[in-house]
Amino acid sequence: KSLPSAFGSFTWDKSRKFKIGINAVSGSAGFVCSIGVGECSTSTLRQVSFYLSGIDASTFDLSARVSDGTSTSLSSIGTKNYGTYYNLEARFTTGTNVEYYVDGSLVKTLTTNLPSGATSAEHIFNSYLSTTSGAQTLRVSYLDFWQAN
């Protein structure tokens, strides 16, 4: 469904940010999840996202991921625990960088493979979850999206 026209057109040529509260309640080594803006189902589609990859039954690696539609930058933020609530934020500055925050602290800045144009920009929230073993639970408590005029 389309959002009200007050948002204008969605484009990577305008700065944008998103915030999301998550709790990966349970997981495993086969758990992967991508949460962000753009198209997050594969690494080579235009996106700004957080990428979760299960290490074992109690921890996962949280990474920063950005893609221009051809090439991808992926950089680990660090090991996190299942069952813990995290506030994630990504601030995309057109043509410059993406700053990634966890619980209000800047943890990573990526400057390459930044998306541009309009392709996949209309996806103001996108998530992809997959697992190779057992049931997984990811709780989202809030989502906030902003794009410059």
Side-chain angles (χ1 to χ4, degrees):
K1 184 171 179 171
S2 297
L3 293 171
S5 60
F7 277 93
S9 62
F10 294 105
T11 176
W12 295 108
D13 298 328
K14 295 180 180 180
S15 294
R16 47 182 32 197
K17 69 179 176 180
F18 76 92
K19 295 179 185 181
I20 188 168
I22 67 157
N23 181 349
V25 177
S26 61
S28 66
F31 173 73
V32 294
C33 175
S34 183
I35 304 168
V37 294
E39 179 56 62
C40 299
S41 61
T42 67
S43 63
T44 56
L45 296 173
R46 291 180 192 174
Q47 65 184 280
V48 170
S49 62
F50 286 91
Y51 185 75
L52 292 69
S53 178
I55 296 171
D56 54 35
S58 59
T59 60
F60 61 91
D61 180 65
L62 179 65
S63 296
R65 183 163 81 174
V66 63
S67 178
D68 61 12
T70 303
S71 298
T72 301
S73 296
L74 178 69
S75 183
S76 178
I77 292 169
T79 301
K80 302 295 179 188
N81 296 313
Y82 290 115
T84 302
Y85 182 83
Y86 297 101
N87 293 294
L88 307 178
E89 180 178 355
R91 298 178 187 174
F92 172 72
T93 302
T94 301
T96 303
N97 64 28
V98 183
E99 295 177 334
Y100 292 85
Y101 295 79
V102 176
D103 295 332
S105 297
L106 177 64
V107 293
K108 189 68 66 177
T109 301
L110 298 179
T111 59
T112 58
N113 303 316
L114 302 175
S116 62
T119 302
S120 299
E122 73 278 9
H123 299 287
I124 63 169
F125 173 72
N126 199 298
S127 65
Y128 174 80
L129 288 90
S130 176
T131 184
T132 58
S133 62
Q136 315 298 315
T137 303
L138 178 73
R139 293 187 179 143
V140 175
S141 61
Y142 71 90
L143 172 68
D144 183 25
F145 173 81
W146 172 87
Q147 177 178 279
N149 289 327

